[in-house]
Amino acid sequence: QVQLAESGGGSVQAGGSLRLSCAASGRTYIFGCMGWLRQAPGKKREGVAAIERYGGTSYADSVKGRFTISRDNAKNTLYLQMNSLKPEDTAMYYCAADRPGRWRLCSSQVKEFDYWGQGTQVTVSS
């Protein structure tokens, strides 16, 4: 059993920064592709960023240059550093991960993963 738990969300003004973390617990191992996705009210869930097992990254065009995804495999933790936040970044942010035996193209366009967190809310005011 694997659990993913996000933290670090909150409310900030436009131009501010937040750092999201996603800690894995339970039966942990080095996951495959991991990602951050978000969903705003009334909108479909969208991929924000993804990172391969050993570091290759992919970002949605809307966050390139502002967000940075990283992971610490030793700590089974995923991060998302968000800078220059905009009101349109307001959403529930979810972390997700592939099981270790799953090999596939890891990109920010991936929306289906094996494991999911419960989400953390990010609100950016203008």
Side-chain angles (χ1 to χ4, degrees), residues 10-47:
S11 297
V12 296
Q13 290 190 326
S17 298
L18 285 173
R19 189 191 194 207
L20 305 184
S21 297
C22 173
S25 61
R27 185 181 177 185
T28 58
Y29 28 56
I30 298 177
F31 298 105
C33 179
M34 300 185 77
W36 288 98
L37 301 91
R38 66 187 181 187
Q39 188 166 18
K43 294 188 177 181
K44 294 182 178 179
R45 188 172 293 183
E46 62 172 349

Side-chain angles (χ1 to χ4, degrees), residues 24-71:
S25 61
R27 185 181 177 185
T28 58
Y29 28 56
I30 298 177
F31 298 105
C33 179
M34 300 185 77
W36 288 98
L37 301 91
R38 66 187 181 187
Q39 188 166 18
K43 294 188 177 181
K44 294 182 178 179
R45 188 172 293 183
E46 62 172 349
V48 174
I51 184 167
E52 296 174 340
R53 184 188 301 261
Y54 294 114
T57 58
S58 170
Y59 296 93
D61 288 344
S62 60
V63 306
K64 280 181 182 176
R66 300 188 298 122
F67 291 11
T68 302
I69 189 172
S70 61
R71 63 192 287 177

Side-chain angles (χ1 to χ4, degrees), residues 12-14 86-87 124-126:
V12 296
Q13 290 190 326
K86 303 175 180 180
V124 184
S125 58
S126 57

Side-chain angles (χ1 to χ4, degrees), residues 40-105:
K43 294 188 177 181
K44 294 182 178 179
R45 188 172 293 183
E46 62 172 349
V48 174
I51 184 167
E52 296 174 340
R53 184 188 301 261
Y54 294 114
T57 58
S58 170
Y59 296 93
D61 288 344
S62 60
V63 306
K64 280 181 182 176
R66 300 188 298 122
F67 291 11
T68 302
I69 189 172
S70 61
R71 63 192 287 177
D72 186 332
N73 290 334
K75 295 181 179 179
N76 288 304
T77 303
L78 179 71
Y79 304 98
L80 185 68
Q81 178 66 45
M82 304 187 295
N83 298 329
S84 302
L85 282 160
K86 303 175 180 180
E88 50 264 43
D89 295 318
T90 295
M92 184 71 78
Y93 283 71
Y94 299 89
C95 73
D98 275 350
R99 64 186 184 275
R102 187 174 191 179
W103 295 92
R104 58 162 168 174
L105 179 65

